[in-house]
Amino acid sequence: MDQQRHGIGLTGFASLPAADPAALSSADLQGLERVRELLSGKRLALLTGAGLSTDSGIPDYRGPDAVPRSPMTYQEFVRDDANRQRYWARNHIGWSHLRHADPNPGHTAAAELERRGLLTGLITQNVDRLHEDAGSRNVIDLHGRYDRVVCLDCKRTYTRRLLAGVLEELNPGFLARATTSGLVEMAPDADATVEDIALISSFVVAACPACSGILKPDFVYFGENVPKERAEAAYTMVDIAEALLVAGSSLTVMSGLRFVRHAAKDGKPVVIINRGGTRGDQYATIKLDAGVSEALTWLAAELPDL
């Protein structure tokens, strides 16, 4: 890729410094040699999770260093005006104050695997769009995308950038007050932790411009289901592949774990690369505890052409 496109992906939600690639240990390299031997000559389906985007400065929920959090559920969001007010106020702060996230070498490696024809496609549990920024084309955003909002009533969609402008007009001076109120940290869903309850309660939430309905980020909340057609498309990617490679997912939620179970049930090799244990380890042909970006970069360079 000749030039990075800044701010197209997570567009403002990164809160950690981007990580420089770490050197692979001798144990990592030995494990990767085994992975190369297993996957050589096979077309792969690639499933990625939050552990890949942490190197771009995006915090995750379940990594070894993740801070315990309680993300808002879909049910909490839709049933209560105050919950929506709190969510959008904190989200607006995160959108406006945090730096842009860029793809890291792991995203670039995934795009290279696709360019070389080694992938049937890429399924990501991330909503940051960094795979697309890195050049991947055949991507299923399993949990949706941050750069879009949807009306729950009329189903129209709008860009998150457009909504930011609307929220600015509805809440003049809000961000200036937020700057001095104490922004504590950012969650992976851009829900900024803010202690100033009065500030949050002053926030005016935007309604759908077309029907005055409820606007919601166009991604799957906890307690919400992945759309059926999206899940079926992901299953197809796994079905036409000869092996499944999982990179940077703890597989804690069933939306990702089901593809591992599906591949294993069909007798296909499953390789899991992740820092720490995963819920799918029992189904893995090889489980490698290694840096995800570094491992994908190595595989993109070392796997032979088909």
Side-chain angles (χ1 to χ4, degrees), residues 60-62 67-77 86-87 90 146 187-191 219-223 253:
D60 66 5
Y61 279 113
R62 301 185 180 90
V67 177
R69 298 180 176 98
S70 297
M72 185 175 294
T73 67
Y74 176 77
Q75 291 75 18
E76 289 171 334
F77 183 86
R86 175 170 62 87
Y87 179 84
R90 290 156 57 139
Y146 267 114
D189 60 354
D191 188 10
F219 56 80
V220 178
Y221 273 47
F222 288 85
V253 295

Side-chain angles (χ1 to χ4, degrees), residues 9-23:
L10 200 54
T11 42
F13 294 118
S15 66
L16 302 172
D20 293 325

